[in-house]
Amino acid sequence: VLDFNDPFSTEVKPRILLMGLRRSGKSSIQKVVFHKMSPNETLFLESTNKICREDVSNSSFVNFQIWDFPGQIDFFDPTFDYEMIFRGTGALIFVIDSQDDYMEALARLHLTVTRAYKVNPDINFEIFIHKVDGLSDDHKIETQRDIHQRANDDLADAGLEKIHLSFYLTSIYDHSIFEAFSKVVQKLIPQLPTLENLLNIFISNSGIEKAFLFDVVSKIYIATDSTPVDMQTYELCCDMIDVVIDISCIYGLKDDGSGTPYDKESMAIIKLNNTTVLYLKEVTKFLALVCFVREESFERKGLIDYNFHCFRKAIQEVFEVRMKVVRSRKHQSHMQKTKRPTPNGTPRMPL
């Protein structure tokens, strides 16, 4: 278990804080995205009454800690050491219930952001305007505009215009929550520019329209090429991953039940009725590449597969570099601990 105060802990596993008022939907978001819970089942979740920590380690890229905070947490309580928590935080997600009166939530958001920024100016502040499934399209836009305006006005009044807030309309009843979490996680991946560049090279040389690098466990896409992301395209990719995993769990195992449903041989082709082909290939044990290809381009499948082989090899090299960095930092962290003096002033000796 990594120490709470260990700088290595938060550097290798960035911390994401889930904050907001009670019943705003924080725990439901976590359960749906990372535990495959059905949105309808979240209606029976009890209110969070203590800080809950969870390590998410699906792959070498999707690797972070989530801290779910109870809505009634009091920053002015002397037992709450907010400085220690904010110091090691990569992203702070503040959830606002769009179907409720959000004036109190905006006041809490302002207090939270100002406190966190003073301790750690490098935190990414992400605002989830949640439960928008119950609003009309016009009402969604109006609510987002109002919350955006009020939150930024509060910061401007406090002389903190340089704090950047990112806003997302989310719901656990569609794919918006997965896309929002994807954007949050991408900001915490130092290798993101390299991954995007690899995807750009891959699609430009293969005649591919769009490509996503997915974490198959959470359906978070950790990178995509530089072309704009269309929500409908993203939803199709998520649905394809669900279909492939479900079918693989039925037919992908051996007769004796051994083996894994998702392995290096995993691959799927789905032809849509608009002359587009969805093509999925396994990259690593936890990552999948999902591509949109025109039928005429897909006739050169041999070229696409060769380029994919080169792409997968490059991803593995990025993996290896990251793991070397992790091991090096872990060793440095261990050496620093062993050099710390003991309470009587004598240096610690490594065992």
Side-chain angles (χ1 to χ4, degrees):
V1 177
L2 294 170
D3 182 13
F4 190 90
N5 289 308
D6 187 358
F8 166 76
S9 165
T10 54
E11 193 170 0
V12 175
K13 277 195 168 187
R15 191 181 304 148
I16 297 177
L17 308 185
L18 266 176
M19 293 185 160
L21 298 184
R22 291 186 64 163
R23 312 307 299 176
S24 57
K26 303 182 296 296
S27 300
S28 299
I29 290 171
Q30 186 180 353
K31 295 294 184 185
V32 168
V33 175
F34 298 105
H35 294 273
K36 301 284 187 186
M37 182 178 281
S38 166
N40 293 323
E41 290 179 38
T42 62
L43 298 172
F44 306 104
L45 287 175
E46 294 183 4
S47 184
T48 305
N49 54 17
K50 63 180 181 180
I51 299 175
C52 299
R53 167 186 152 171
E54 179 180 0
D55 281 15
V56 178
S57 304
N58 295 343
S59 71
S60 292
F61 294 128
V62 181
N63 204 6
F64 50 86
Q65 304 168 353
I66 291 185
W67 294 70
D68 185 4
F69 282 75
Q72 66 273 19
I73 199 129
D74 182 6
F75 286 110
F76 297 102
D77 187 335
T79 61
F80 181 72
D81 192 350
Y82 66 87
E83 283 200 14
M84 183 173 65
I85 291 174
F86 291 144
R87 196 177 299 123
T89 294
L92 191 157
I93 298 174
F94 196 93
V95 183
I96 297 177
D97 185 347
S98 65
Q99 298 185 32
D100 200 3
D101 180 12
Y102 44 77
M103 290 306 142
E104 183 185 352
L106 284 169
R108 177 64 66 89
L109 168 66
H110 181 73
L111 173 64
T112 306
V113 168
T114 50
R115 283 284 173 99
Y117 184 78
K118 286 178 183 176
V119 176
N120 181 3
D122 296 324
I123 292 179
N124 296 314
F125 295 106
E126 319 285 353
I127 317 304
F128 285 9
I129 303 170
H130 198 47
K131 302 182 184 179
V132 296
D133 49 277
L135 307 180
S136 65
D137 289 344
D138 289 343
H139 197 180
K140 283 181 193 177
I141 296 169
E142 185 182 333
T143 301
Q144 183 177 17
R145 187 185 297 121
D146 189 40
I147 290 176
H148 184 282
Q149 185 71 43
R150 290 176 185 273
N152 283 307
D153 284 350
D154 288 343
L155 290 175
D157 292 343
L160 296 168
E161 300 97 331
K162 55 188 172 184
I163 297 179
H164 176 70
L165 306 178
S166 299
F167 296 85
Y168 310 84
L169 292 170
T170 61
S171 168
I172 58 174
Y173 290 95
D174 57 31
H175 292 86
S176 59
I177 191 62
F178 293 96
E179 187 183 22
F181 238 105
S182 297
K183 297 285 180 62
V184 172
V185 170
Q186 285 169 26
K187 294 178 184 178
L188 303 179
I189 299 175
Q191 298 83 7
L192 182 64
T194 304
L195 298 177
E196 289 180 345
N197 190 36
L198 287 173
L199 285 166
N200 283 331
I201 294 169
F202 172 66
I203 69 166
S204 64
N205 287 286
S206 307
I208 290 172
E209 302 279 316
K210 184 73 181 166
F212 293 91
L213 190 61
F214 269 95
D215 171 62
V216 294
V217 178
S218 63
K219 289 188 294 190
I220 286 174
Y221 72 93
I222 63 170
T224 185
D225 57 85
S226 56
T227 59
V229 175
D230 175 46
M231 190 63 178
Q232 191 176 11
T233 302
Y234 174 67
E235 289 176 5
L236 281 170
C237 292
C238 289
D239 291 343
M240 184 182 193
I241 289 173
D242 283 338
V243 169
V244 170
I245 297 299
D246 289 347
I247 292 178
S248 296
C249 286
I250 299 171
Y251 300 105
L253 300 176
K254 296 178 181 177
D255 293 337
D256 59 358
S258 62
T260 56
Y262 184 77
D263 56 29
K264 62 182 181 181
E265 301 298 327
S266 294
M267 183 267 288
I269 300 170
I270 297 178
K271 293 189 176 181
L272 306 180
N273 59 8
N274 62 351
T275 70
T276 303
V277 177
L278 277 175
Y279 190 34
L280 180 146
K281 291 274 282 181
E282 187 262 6
V283 179
T284 70
K285 191 164 70 168
F286 298 105
L287 295 179
L289 184 72
V290 184
C291 308
F292 273 72
V293 195
R294 292 286 174 195
E295 276 189 5
E296 56 268 24
S297 299
F298 195 68
E299 291 173 1
R300 298 177 297 167
K301 182 174 175 293
L303 173 66
I304 294 173
D305 286 344
Y306 174 79
N307 287 340
F308 170 78
H309 174 73
C310 298
F311 172 80
R312 178 157 60 178
K313 190 176 178 183
I315 289 288
Q316 288 170 348
E317 290 176 6
V318 176
F319 258 22
E320 289 167 7
V321 170
R322 173 167 171 75
M323 293 315 296
K324 284 179 183 176
V325 171
V326 168
R327 283 194 291 268
S328 173
R329 288 176 180 167
K330 194 171 185 178
H331 178 70
Q332 289 174 4
S333 177
H334 175 71
M335 294 302 293
Q336 287 172 359
K337 282 182 179 179
T338 57
K339 288 179 182 177
R340 274 188 218 147
T342 53
N344 63 5
T346 58
R348 293 183 188 272
M349 296 297 292
L351 297 175

